[in-house]
């Protein structure tokens, strides 16, 4: 580019952002439609530098094995598991795609991005233990939650979680739901491998390039305006399809696109922090992802957890999250992000949330008031002997919770993810946070089905090779679940000694 206004170029697909969502969609398209051209624009100078970075998220591999916010207690004491089952189904889809990608050489060295780590729910107190027993009773016989254990014996607790047992007063009842088959996922490493594959197979990658505007043309294509942040040079790209996978930056671009489907949406930014362990001896005493219960009145994102991480083949330990607040929509965003997102079509939604989510406001105020001693006090619920000198505070990724218009309420805050797609299928984007990255594959399959309905029919055979259970609820098909579980566990190097050898899964389910 020799001048400020470069010659317009054309491409079939523009991916905005080099995070896990764009990487997943791009990798899918490179296999489904290798003749399509793809251009990826990332405003930062690296892949997965925002929410997908391993230190900016907990890497849980959300499958609802341990996250208590997915299994709310009903008024009669029973436990609602519908959301847990749905989240687990979604994660199974991601697992299958990753396994297929390893077999095809799209991904290499699975140990770099996924490792087996038990997922554990932890509570204390008699009432909470009763709830956890009811949760176990509801889930343990379920196909997707097989092998879950209920543990309330202090000796067993101490053997499995020595760091959490040391100094604990067991006169206060404890209980665990223990799932041995959980995983830790380094979404940064996974994203880098997927983006690398897109580049190796002809996709064009532009780092330090920020998409500043989107305008639809009369033929339904999009004119995408891009600025090189290092040089100030500008580029104009004409694309048949645009995916906005820009994390917290997605809302602004979807608003600029003018599509009616984005109207009424708002975003509420919440920053986060974790305590990261600096003492190798303590790290060696804990090997699990242990999720607790959010305080009464606190939002789902506040669920405390003590997490084993595996990053760069090295174990680590995190505790948190501690919520903070910033008007930025990205960790490396702008302080004008929040005020700039307020539009005439979403101001009622935004104001409605301000009234309805007073609990969230109260929670954020209390979190912002915490000092080091307060943070260590929270940690001691999990590790009673925790000392400040063994932990350092790190800033995690910025999350933008979805605010959606709701009849009679102005707006409601949603703690999940939402695919926003234009009716004509020419543009789509993803809003929201957890379970986010863990459900990247089903989310991007949703984008493909909604935006390419004609092509999708022709892709079904190939998609079944990538995700053998596509279109089938594994919860209703134990035989198929066993096949895809054993296959994906072996390929991803997660299998235990008891995993069975089986025929190629795509062949066994062709008639399903």
């Amino acid at each position: 580019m020799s001048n400020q206004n470069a010659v317009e170029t054309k491409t079939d697909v523009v991916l905005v952002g080099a995070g896990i969502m764009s990487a997943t969609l791009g990798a899918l398209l490179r296999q489904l439609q290798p003749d399509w051209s793809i251009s990826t624009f990332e405003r930062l100078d690296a892949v997965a530098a925002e929410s997908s970075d391993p230190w900016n998220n907990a890497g849980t591999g959300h499958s609802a094995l341990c996250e208590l916010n997915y299994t709310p207690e009903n008024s009669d004491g029973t436990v609602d598991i519908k959301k847990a089952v749905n989240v687990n189904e979604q994660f199974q889809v991601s697992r299958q795609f990753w396994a297929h990608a390893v077999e095809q050489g799209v991904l290499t060295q699975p140990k770099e991005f996924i490792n087996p780590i038990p997922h554990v729910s932890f509570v204390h107190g008699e009432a909470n233990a009763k709830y956890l027993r009811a949760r176990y009773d509801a889930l343990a016989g379920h196909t997707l939650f097989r092998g879950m254990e209920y543990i309330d014996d202090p000796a067993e607790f101490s053997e499995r979680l020595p760091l959490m047992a040391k100094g604990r007063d067991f006169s206060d009842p404890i209980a665990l739901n223990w799932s041995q088959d959980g995983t830790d996922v380094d979404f940064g490493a996974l994203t880098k491998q997927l983006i690398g594959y897109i580049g190796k197979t002809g996709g064009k990658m532009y780092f330090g390039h920020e998409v500043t505007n989107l305008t639809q043309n009369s033929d339904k294509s999009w004119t995408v305006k891009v600025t090189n942040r290092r040089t100030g040079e500008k580029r104009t790209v004409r694309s048949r399809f645009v995916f906005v996978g820009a994390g917290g930056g997605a809302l602004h671009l979807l608003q600029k696109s003018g599509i009616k489907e984005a109207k009424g949406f708002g975003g509420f930014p919440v920053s986060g922090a974790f305590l990261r362990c600096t003492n190798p001896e303590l790290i060696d005493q804990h090997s699990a992802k242990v999720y607790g219960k959010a305080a009464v009145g606190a939002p789902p994102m506040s669920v405390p957890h003590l997490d084993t991480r595996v990053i760069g083949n090295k174990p680590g330990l995190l505790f948190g999250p501690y919520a903070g607040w910033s008007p930025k929509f990205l960790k490396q965003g702008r302080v004008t992000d929040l005020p700039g997102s307020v539009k005439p079509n979403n101001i009622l939604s935004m104001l409605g949330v301000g009234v309805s989510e007073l609990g969230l406001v109260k929670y954020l105020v209390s979190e912002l008031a915490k000092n080091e001693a307060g943070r260590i006090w929270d940690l001691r619920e999990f590790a009673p002997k925790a000392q400040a000198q063994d932990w350092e505070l790190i800033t995690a990724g910025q999350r933008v919770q979805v605010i959606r218009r709701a009849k009679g309420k102005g707006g409601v805050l949603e703690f999940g993810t939402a695919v926003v797609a234009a009716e004509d299928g020419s543009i789509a984007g993803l809003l929201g946070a957890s379970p986010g990255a863990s459900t990247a594959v089903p989310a991007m399959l949703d984008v493909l089905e909604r935006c390419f309905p004609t092509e999708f029919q022709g892709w079904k055979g190939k998609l079944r090779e990538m995700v053998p259970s596509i279109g089938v609820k594994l919860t209703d098909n134990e035989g198929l679940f066993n096949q895809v579980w054993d296959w994906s566990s072996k390929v991803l190097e997660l299998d235990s000694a008891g995993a069975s050898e089986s025929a190629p899964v795509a062949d066994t389910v062709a008639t399903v």
Side-chain angles (χ1 to χ4, degrees):
M1 295 181 293
S2 59
N3 54 57
Q4 285 293 100
N5 293 294
V7 177
E8 181 179 285
T9 57
K10 291 185 178 181
T11 188
D12 292 310
V13 176
V14 160
L15 303 175
V16 184
I20 186 62
M21 295 298 171
S22 291
T24 299
L25 182 60
L28 284 165
L29 285 172
R30 292 311 290 163
Q31 294 178 84
L32 294 169
Q33 208 70 44
D35 57 322
W36 286 6
S37 53
I38 297 177
S39 295
T40 303
F41 296 98
E42 167 57 52
R43 67 188 294 268
L44 302 179
D45 292 326
V47 174
E50 278 280 353
S51 294
S52 300
D53 180 273
W55 292 117
N56 285 344
N57 60 73
T60 299
H62 288 289
S63 47
L65 296 173
C66 59
E67 305 94 313
L68 298 179
N69 53 303
Y70 296 141
T71 50
E73 186 174 13
N74 297 317
S75 58
D76 63 357
T78 60
V79 174
D80 184 349
I81 65 171
K82 290 193 296 291
K83 188 169 185 178
V85 171
N86 183 55
V87 169
N88 195 305
E89 287 272 9
Q90 291 179 309
F91 186 68
Q92 301 306 325
V93 171
S94 291
R95 256 182 72 124
Q96 290 172 64
F97 173 70
W98 298 338
H100 170 81
V102 169
E103 287 188 328
Q104 298 300 308
V106 173
L107 296 172
T108 60
Q109 300 176 324
K111 288 291 184 190
E112 285 189 0
F113 67 86
I114 189 167
N115 285 275
I117 296 291
H119 282 196
V120 183
S121 306
F122 158 67
V123 298
H124 59 91
E126 190 172 336
N128 286 331
K130 184 178 179 181
Y131 155 73
L132 207 62
R133 178 72 207 198
R135 178 182 185 270
Y136 167 80
D137 290 340
L139 290 173
H142 200 284
T143 299
L144 302 181
F145 295 86
R146 65 183 187 185
M148 179 180 284
E149 300 173 79
Y150 178 80
I151 297 168
D152 60 4
D153 175 51
E156 186 69 20
F157 180 101
S158 301
E159 183 177 341
R160 299 198 189 197
L161 299 170
L163 182 64
M164 293 179 61
K166 190 175 182 180
R168 183 170 298 278
D169 178 4
F170 284 105
S171 65
D172 180 26
I174 51 87
L176 305 174
N177 284 170
W178 186 286
S179 297
Q180 188 67 26
D181 292 326
T183 52
D184 175 76
V185 185
D186 180 341
F187 287 107
L190 175 60
T191 303
K192 288 173 184 176
Q193 290 193 27
L194 292 171
I195 289 288
Y197 164 74
I198 296 169
K200 289 174 187 174
T201 53
K204 295 182 179 179
M205 318 299 300
Y206 300 90
F207 293 96
H209 283 67
E210 183 168 9
V211 173
T212 58
N213 207 358
L214 299 164
T215 308
Q216 190 166 31
N217 306 306
S218 58
D219 64 354
K220 296 184 180 180
S221 68
W222 288 87
T223 295
V224 183
K225 292 189 176 180
V226 185
T227 298
N228 185 323
R229 299 180 75 207
R230 294 185 290 267
T231 66
E233 292 175 317
K234 300 184 184 300
R235 173 187 297 268
T236 301
V237 181
R238 195 178 181 104
S239 180
R240 291 196 301 118
F241 173 75
V242 175
F243 176 70
V244 186
L251 179 60
H252 280 302
L253 288 174
L254 289 170
Q255 288 175 331
K256 286 185 176 184
S257 74
I259 61 172
K260 68 179 187 294
E261 290 80 6
K263 297 186 185 304
F265 277 100
F268 187 84
V270 178
S271 60
F274 285 98
L275 287 175
R276 179 166 62 187
C277 187
T278 58
N279 186 335
E281 292 183 11
L282 298 183
I283 294 170
D284 289 343
Q285 293 174 41
H286 188 84
S287 183
K289 288 183 175 293
V290 182
Y291 273 59
K293 202 172 184 182
V296 176
M301 63 184 166
S302 67
V303 173
H305 44 98
L306 183 62
D307 282 5
T308 294
R309 298 303 319 274
V310 183
I311 299 173
N313 296 313
K314 183 179 179 181
L317 194 57
L318 288 179
F319 177 78
Y322 299 98
W325 191 82
S326 163
K328 296 179 180 181
F329 277 10
L330 291 164
K331 190 173 179 179
Q332 300 185 56
R334 302 177 176 92
V335 294
T336 55
D337 286 346
L338 177 58
S341 74
V342 180
K343 308 293 181 185
N345 64 64
N346 71 5
I347 190 168
L348 290 178
S349 302
M350 304 282 279
L351 292 174
V353 165
V355 173
S356 64
E357 296 291 340
L358 293 177
L360 173 60
V361 174
K362 182 179 178 181
Y363 164 72
L364 289 175
V365 170
S366 67
E367 287 287 286
L368 290 168
K370 278 181 182 168
N371 56 17
E372 180 183 75
R375 290 188 287 268
I376 295 297
W377 178 263
D378 289 344
L379 170 58
R380 284 176 180 162
E381 181 181 4
F382 283 70
K385 290 293 188 179
Q387 299 296 320
Q389 64 265 26
D390 295 322
W391 301 81
E392 62 179 355
L393 188 69
I394 63 170
T395 303
Q398 191 79 351
R399 301 289 184 264
V400 179
Q401 308 298 334
V402 174
I403 296 174
R404 192 192 292 263
R405 184 183 293 161
K407 289 183 180 179
K409 295 183 180 179
V412 294
L413 198 64
E414 294 187 351
F415 298 97
T417 50
V419 172
V420 178
E423 186 177 7
D424 64 10
S426 64
I427 187 171
L430 192 86
L431 301 176
S434 183
S438 300
T439 59
V441 178
M444 293 306 98
L445 289 175
D446 183 29
V447 168
L448 291 176
E449 186 169 16
R450 291 167 65 176
C451 295
F452 303 100
T454 303
E455 293 91 339
F456 195 83
Q457 295 305 311
W459 290 338
K460 280 188 173 179
K462 182 67 174 176
L463 286 171
R464 185 171 284 111
E465 293 178 19
M466 298 181 190
V467 182
S469 74
I470 193 167
V472 179
K473 289 289 187 184
L474 291 172
T475 184
D476 299 326
N477 194 321
E478 185 175 2
L480 177 57
F481 172 73
N482 290 338
Q483 291 171 29
V484 297
W485 179 267
D486 286 358
W487 160 68
S488 60
S489 294
K490 182 177 181 180
V491 174
L492 295 173
E493 300 176 17
L494 302 170
D495 56 329
S496 63
S500 61
E501 295 285 343
S502 58
V505 180
D507 295 338
T508 65
V509 301
T511 58
V512 171

